[in-house]
Amino acid sequence: VTEPDHQISIALAAAARFLGESGVPEPRVDAEILLSHALAWTREELLARLDEGLSHRDLQKFNRFVSRRGDRREPVAYIVGVREFYGLRLKVTPAVLIPRPETEVLVERAIALRPGRVLDLGTGSGAIAAALAAHLPDAHIIATDASDEALAVARKNLPKRVEIRHGRDFQPTAGEPFDLVVSNPPYIPTAEIDRLEPEVRHEPRIALDGGPDGLDVVRRILRSGKKALIEIGQGQADVLRSEFPGVRFHRDLAGIERVVER
Ligand SMILES: C[S@@+](CC[C@H](N)C(=O)[O-])C[C@H]1O[C@@H](n2cnc3c(N)ncnc32)[C@H](O)[C@@H]1O
């Protein structure tokens, strides 16, 4: 006999209620993802087996994940260790920014440009470089990051043919020619970081902090004079338009000018 709280449907409902009360935006979805992870099942499997029982051990494991999500507001991706980006399953840890759907705008434009040699500056999990590698089979791709811990994650996500180098800005590739530089650099103004939702504070500061107006690294890339596609934040396009005449912008699905191209 299964105790009532050991039934999948009941455990899910209780977890979703707790997560909702904790301020988590999508409590039911998160509860399902976390229970699937605890059981090492797919979400489809879980939803087909709601009437089944849970072992005491699995319930405890699930409750630990739920507490990390609700009490500590850890992002789901860090708890389960993977995140989907551009159709790829990427490993993620708190050493890397969690890849965001809006970055797919930059990837699409980069693929359309068909570069032969491309630099992904600030690769993090390797998200952009991995997507380019999957769609540009002949491109020579170099991925760099100022964080060694991030590169250890990128190494797990990137195919062997992507060159990985450590260093800040253009230091690891000084003087080398590229057809295109792609980058999703840190672009949040320093003072705004602590006002963001609690999940973001689990992400690495070096991946977020773009200096006083958020544009420190963006400007350094634009000043290099190289052909570039760089992700930016909402409201940052106008200042770049006036500082760098001739740049153009690509909008994301929400209509926000998300990528600067020069
Ligand atoms: C916003 S994250 C983007 C990660 C990944 N490209 C993505 O789109 O998900 C920015 C990354 O740039 C790295 N970074 C920050 N400043 C840098 C710099 N000056 N030079 C190189 N990398 C830098 C951070 O360590 C972090 O991994």
Side-chain angles (χ1 to χ4, degrees):
V1 228
T2 312
E3 292 170 43
D5 67 329
H6 284 50
Q7 198 187 1
I8 288 179
S9 58
I10 292 173
L12 273 179
R17 194 178 330 110
F18 166 73
L19 292 176
E21 283 162 5
S22 306
V24 168
E26 291 184 286
R28 175 72 194 195
V29 174
D30 286 7
E32 289 173 6
I33 295 172
L34 294 175
L35 185 51
S36 309
H37 182 59
L39 294 166
W41 292 359
T42 64
R43 218 166 126 207
E44 292 68 34
E45 232 175 323
L46 180 79
L47 295 178
R49 297 170 71 168
L50 292 176
D51 295 339
E52 293 184 25
L54 272 176
S55 74
H56 185 63
R57 240 186 102 131
D58 287 337
L59 181 63
Q60 275 186 323
K61 201 168 169 191
F62 176 48
N63 284 336
R64 278 195 299 274
F65 294 154
V66 170
S67 159
R68 286 172 63 185
R69 184 74 193 99
D71 294 323
R72 291 176 33 81
R73 295 296 292 273
E74 283 184 56
V76 170
Y78 289 154
I79 301 174
V80 304
V82 292
R83 171 68 166 219
E84 206 165 297
F85 179 78
Y86 218 81
L88 304 169
R89 251 173 92 81
L90 301 174
K91 294 200 167 73
V92 294
T93 75
V96 299
L97 184 101
I98 298 164
R100 304 289 205 273
E102 54 267 28
T103 304
E104 299 190 344
V105 175
L106 184 156
V107 171
E108 253 160 43
R109 177 67 185 145
I111 292 170
L113 290 173
R114 306 241 140 236
R117 264 180 76 82
V118 44
L119 167 64
D120 177 15
L121 194 157
T123 198
S125 63
I128 297 172
L132 295 184
H135 290 84
L136 297 170
D138 300 322
H140 183 160
I141 303 167
I142 297 177
T144 66
D145 206 287
S147 158
D148 266 323
E149 294 79 12
L151 288 179
V153 178
R155 205 161 275 121
K156 296 184 184 160
N157 288 322
L158 290 171
K160 290 277 174 296
R161 73 180 174 90
V162 176
E163 253 188 81
I164 295 174
R165 299 187 200 167
H166 174 250
R168 199 173 160 270
D169 294 357
F170 291 100
Q171 175 269 322
T173 58
E176 286 174 45
F178 290 99
D179 300 314
L180 180 65
V181 178
V182 291
S183 185
N184 174 17
Y187 57 69
I188 299 172
T190 309
E192 278 180 26
I193 295 175
D194 292 327
R195 292 203 284 269
L196 297 173
E197 60 269 40
E199 281 79 3
V200 179
R201 284 182 240 131
H202 290 272
E203 297 188 275
R205 190 94 187 177
I206 187 179
L208 305 172
D209 190 347
D213 69 353
L215 291 168
D216 284 5
V217 185
V218 175
R219 283 195 186 90
R220 294 204 293 270
I221 298 172
L222 288 175
R223 282 195 200 115
S224 76
K226 293 177 165 51
K227 171 89 192 152
L229 288 173
I230 312 164
E231 183 170 322
I232 56 170
Q234 182 164 19
Q236 292 179 329
D238 282 341
V239 47
L240 295 175
R241 203 177 268 117
S242 65
E243 282 179 38
F244 299 92
V247 294
R248 53 188 286 221
F249 296 88
H250 300 277
R251 290 177 193 272
D252 65 17
L253 292 174
I256 296 165
E257 289 173 311
R258 181 59 67 189
V259 174
V260 55
E261 172 171 351
R262 79 150 281 165

